[in-house]
Amino acid sequence: WSVPEMRLTSKTLTLPWPKDLKASDLRSWVKDQLSIHGDPLRWAITAVNDSAQDCGAVLQIEAVLIE
């Protein structure tokens, strides 16, 4: 009997905040975006900046993922 090896990784992602996405729906959207890279263990929005292309805000997400 063996336990599958799990690895923790740290990532910083920059994601454009879709204009049609309400703040109340942001948590599930961020978790969906993080799941592309692994299983999110912990994450935080560490910055919200205006986009240079005038397409809304850009989020900086720092996360610990299980791969």
Side-chain angles (χ1 to χ4, degrees):
W1 180 67
S2 66
V3 177
E5 183 178 326
M6 292 198 297
R7 192 173 73 154
L8 296 179
T9 60
S10 176
K11 287 199 184 270
T12 300
L13 301 172
T14 303
L15 302 171
W17 184 345
K19 285 185 177 185
D20 60 340
L21 185 68
K22 296 184 284 185
S24 60
D25 297 327
L26 197 55
R27 179 189 317 263
S28 62
W29 180 80
V30 169
K31 287 172 71 175
D32 288 344
Q33 299 303 305
L34 289 171
S35 68
I36 296 168
H37 302 277
D39 186 20
L41 179 62
R42 264 182 104 65
W43 61 272
I45 299 172
T46 56
V48 179
N49 301 305
D50 289 330
S51 172
Q53 290 84 16
D54 193 34
C55 63
V58 175
L59 306 173
Q60 179 175 306
I61 312 292
E62 294 184 26
V64 175
L65 303 165
I66 302 170
E67 290 185 335

